[in-house]
Amino acid sequence: MQNVIKVSKDLYYLGGNDRRLALFESAFPVPRGVSYNSYLLTDEKTVLFDTVDSAVCDLFLENLEAALAGRPLDYFVIHHMEPDHSASVMRLIEKYPEATVVTNRKVEGMLKNYFPFPSERIHLVAEGDTMSVGRRSVTFVFAPMVHWPEVMMSYIPEDGILFSADAFGTFGALSGAIFADQVQFERDFLDDARRYYFNIVGKYGVQVQSVLKKAAGLDLRLVCPLHGPVWRENFSFLLKKYDLWSKYLPEEKGVAVFYASVYGHTMNAAEILAGAIAKQGVFVKVYDVSHTHVSELLSEAFRYSHAVFCSTTYNNGIFITMEDFLRDLKAHNYQNRKYAIVENGSWSPQAGAYMQAELAAMKNLTQIGEKVTLLSAVKEDSAAALTALADEIAKDVNS
Ligand code: FEO
């Protein structure tokens, strides 16, 4: 049975939720599920904006048929070819043979890579092109690398509607309410939105900035992303977050302490350090990198102004999960932060030097204090060194 939701005059939400998916993109846990959004505009012409993941394709096709209410589908706009939005493309064009596929040349190439796609169905558009669909028009705004090279967005100037592709999306299924102003977004979605941003498009801050500059010139009254809630009020809240995130600037002053510990001694050092930081009124959060998923570690590292990396030495190097985490930070352009190092080793502590080398290869990171070295358990001298390091970190956060 269809479940079509009206978004605004002549605009309908046709998407669905997947709450059974374990890993989005086979990489990111989505314990609160994820939504795949698709929209239909019913002007003098009917225009479909994107399809959905195969998990919700049947529902989507029912929704589309119901929303069309017997009308033909005139245009089908493809913004992004990642299969969470394009997996249903062939079923769609076979069901609606009259529909013209409106997209760009890069999408066309990818369509043919994925499917035996008929070229004669495609109408190519370029950046800034406008297509009349009746009382309204659709303008195409290219957004390369947000999050793939072929990505574009569509803008309807008459209603101030932006179909923003992956941008401004979030993990988390929609629970009946599809608008951000119907949910407590900051409480219930912001952490997932941040984790989505940094893991999915965080590497492409420069390209996101370029899109934000284009968006700044638009009258935005309704923002319709491909995942998560639709924005019709207070969109500046998320826009400001995107501006900070894409400039790689900290969202909050505070310290994220990340530790990798095998038998608990490095954890003990991390807890002592965190306690000494907190005692000085500075916000601090502690993460076991072997327990917390790396997608959350990455998001939290970008969230705060300061980080501490604590690792035991393992196979004469960095402990496995910390090494993975540091590699992920580098891959996502971690930068503009202050950090400190704590290392442990029962006979030859070396993790610190290796962690420093990894962090030195990243952009604009500044080390605070000297690295603290433990030989197995924390003792009086290392506890004093941790307290001294905490003082330096707290002073820097408060400066
Ligand atoms: Fe939601 Fe890049 O796909």
Side-chain angles (χ1 to χ4, degrees):
M1 181 65 192
Q2 54 85 13
N3 182 22
V4 173
I5 299 172
K6 187 170 182 181
V7 179
S8 63
K9 184 173 165 43
D10 301 333
L11 184 65
Y12 300 91
Y13 176 90
L14 311 178
N17 298 293
D18 189 346
R19 296 184 180 83
R20 291 181 172 178
L21 183 69
L23 294 174
F24 183 80
E25 291 187 1
S26 296
F28 311 114
V30 279
R32 298 196 318 113
V34 64
S35 75
Y36 303 106
N37 302 346
S38 167
Y39 306 90
L40 178 74
L41 179 70
T42 55
D43 202 301
E44 287 168 23
K45 298 288 185 184
T46 57
V47 190
L48 175 71
F49 297 93
D50 295 301
T51 63
V52 293
D53 188 83
S54 54
V56 293
C57 180
D58 288 344
L59 170 66
F60 158 73
L61 290 173
E62 280 188 43
N63 284 347
L64 176 57
E65 191 173 327
L68 283 169
R71 294 182 62 183
L73 178 62
D74 297 305
Y75 297 119
F76 165 35
V77 177
I78 304 179
H79 292 120
H80 182 21
M81 273 304 295
E82 193 164 11
D84 54 331
H85 311 294
S86 70
S88 309
V89 158
M90 291 308 283
R91 285 184 66 186
L92 186 282
I93 66 156
E94 281 159 14
K95 186 168 180 186
Y96 296 96
E98 75 283 7
T100 299
V101 177
V102 179
T103 195
N104 63 56
R105 192 165 297 284
K106 281 192 173 141
V107 168
E108 181 187 31
M110 289 187 180
L111 274 170
K112 289 174 181 170
N113 290 341
Y114 275 104
F115 311 112
F117 200 87
S119 296
E120 62 276 12
R121 297 284 300 268
I122 299 175
H123 171 70
L124 290 177
V125 294
E127 164 89 54
D129 279 1
T130 291
M131 180 177 85
S132 173
V133 294
R135 296 179 301 281
R136 302 172 180 86
S137 57
V138 181
T139 300
F140 302 99
V141 180
F142 283 26
M145 298 318 297
V146 187
H147 129 243
W148 280 12
E150 84 293 3
V151 171
M152 65 177 192
M153 302 178 178
S154 289
Y155 178 63
I156 298 180
E158 293 81 1
D159 294 340
I161 303 172
L162 180 69
F163 297 95
S164 63
D166 273 341
F168 312 119
T170 175
F171 296 136
L174 298 172
S175 294
I178 64 162
F179 297 103
D181 56 275
Q182 291 178 301
V183 298
Q184 298 219 30
F185 188 87
E186 190 165 1
R187 186 192 69 185
D188 295 336
F189 278 95
L190 182 58
D191 286 349
D192 265 340
R194 185 187 302 106
R195 189 166 64 92
Y196 170 91
Y197 173 83
F198 280 111
N199 285 278
I200 305 290
V201 286
K203 182 179 176 66
Y204 308 110
V206 172
Q207 291 85 349
V208 174
Q209 275 291 311
S210 160
V211 165
L212 293 183
K213 284 190 178 70
K214 291 181 188 179
L218 303 176
D219 165 27
L220 297 180
R221 280 170 269 160
L222 194 63
V223 177
C224 303
L226 287 173
H227 303 283
V230 171
W231 290 80
R232 61 182 176 185
E233 288 178 17
N234 198 23
F235 179 59
S236 61
F237 171 81
L238 190 59
L239 206 55
K240 282 178 193 161
K241 295 289 181 196
Y242 260 64
D243 190 40
L244 273 181
W245 295 343
S246 56
K247 287 175 178 163
Y248 301 99
L249 296 174
E251 194 178 336
E252 296 176 38
K253 276 195 163 193
V255 186
V257 176
F258 303 101
Y259 73 80
S261 184
V262 179
Y263 294 107
H265 298 299
T266 309
M267 175 185 72
N268 184 223
E271 303 276 21
I272 290 168
L273 182 77
I277 293 170
K279 200 173 164 186
Q280 302 189 52
V282 169
F283 183 81
V284 59
K285 258 173 155 177
V286 178
Y287 297 90
D288 184 332
V289 301
S290 300
H291 179 74
T292 302
H293 193 268
V294 71
S295 65
E296 188 176 338
L297 300 174
L298 184 87
S299 176
E300 291 296 271
F302 275 108
R303 180 176 182 175
Y304 295 106
S305 56
H306 291 65
V308 184
F309 302 96
C310 315
S311 179
T312 190
T313 300
Y314 198 74
N315 285 335
N316 292 327
I318 307 168
F319 188 72
I320 316 155
T321 47
M322 180 63 83
E323 193 168 32
D324 284 349
F325 175 37
L326 291 171
R327 194 179 301 121
D328 219 30
L329 284 173
K330 188 177 177 191
H332 288 82
N333 285 333
Y334 183 64
Q335 55 186 274
N336 301 333
R337 302 294 191 279
K338 306 277 188 72
Y339 73 91
I341 294 278
V342 177
E343 66 174 353
N344 200 348
S346 290
W347 61 93
S348 175
Q350 295 185 50
Y354 283 111
M355 286 195 288
Q356 280 172 316
E358 292 288 337
L359 291 158
M362 300 180 211
K363 200 172 154 188
N364 196 23
L365 298 183
T366 308
Q367 185 172 355
I368 298 177
E370 296 296 316
K371 76 174 179 231
V372 173
T373 300
L374 314 174
L375 283 166
S376 302
V378 179
K379 295 181 252 334
E380 275 188 23
D381 58 342
S382 43
L386 288 167
T387 305
L389 181 60
D391 289 347
E392 286 192 72
I393 294 168
K395 192 173 158 196
D396 195 80
V397 173
N398 287 326
S399 66

